[in-house]
Amino acid sequence: MQSKKWVPGNVAPESGNYTAYDAQGNNGGSLYLEKGQRFPATQHSGSYYCKED
């Protein structure tokens, strides 16, 4: 099962650690967001975030 993806500018649905990935699926690092914070911009087009388990 594929996890939900969020793009920069989306609002974090819950507090937790999120990992950034580029369009090819390469890990770009992780960050902690509180519920309601926006996902930050990335340096690569097509990047997205997934919640860590």
Side-chain angles (χ1 to χ4, degrees):
M1 180 177 161
Q2 189 174 15
S3 63
K4 173 102 172 106
K5 295 179 182 179
W6 295 273
V7 296
N10 286 162
V11 174
E14 59 184 273
S15 298
N17 291 311
Y18 293 87
T19 302
Y21 295 94
D22 66 14
Q24 290 76 37
N26 298 312
N27 186 323
S30 61
L31 71 156
Y32 180 84
L33 292 176
E34 291 286 338
K35 180 179 179 177
Q37 286 186 303
R38 293 198 178 273
F39 289 93
T42 62
Q43 295 182 7
H44 303 285
S45 177
S47 295
Y48 59 92
Y49 293 90
C50 290
K51 184 148 183 1
E52 295 180 13
D53 293 328

